[in-house]
Amino acid sequence: MKKHEVIHFYKSGGFNHLVDVSTDDNLFAAVTFTKSEMQLIVQKYPLAKDNLFALVDGVEIKLKDLTDSQ
């Protein structure tokens, strides 16, 4: 299976700000965070709340935060 390098970032002030880089052969797992992982990201990077993106194989994906809806 192909390994995907995923760059997680948020946008602010016209710039992309790096949050995390990961490599995974499961693309779904690479762009999905648990509730506790999402809380840690937002705690460390408050501007990433509802503003988190993933760059996968050159394609930018806006990630949804579903932790508040559950």
Side-chain angles (χ1 to χ4, degrees), residues 10-59:
Y10 67 92
K11 295 182 177 192
S12 178
F15 295 97
N16 296 340
H17 300 270
L18 181 66
V19 171
D20 182 49
V21 177
S22 62
T23 305
D24 203 317
D25 57 357
N26 181 341
L27 185 55
F28 180 77
V31 296
T32 305
F33 293 105
T34 65
K35 186 174 185 172
S36 61
E37 290 172 329
M38 197 64 211
Q39 288 171 339
L40 286 173
I41 290 170
V42 171
Q43 182 180 9
K44 190 170 182 180
Y45 307 99
L47 294 176
K49 182 162 179 62
D50 299 323
N51 188 26
L52 191 59
F53 295 81
L55 186 65
V56 183
D57 297 332
V59 178

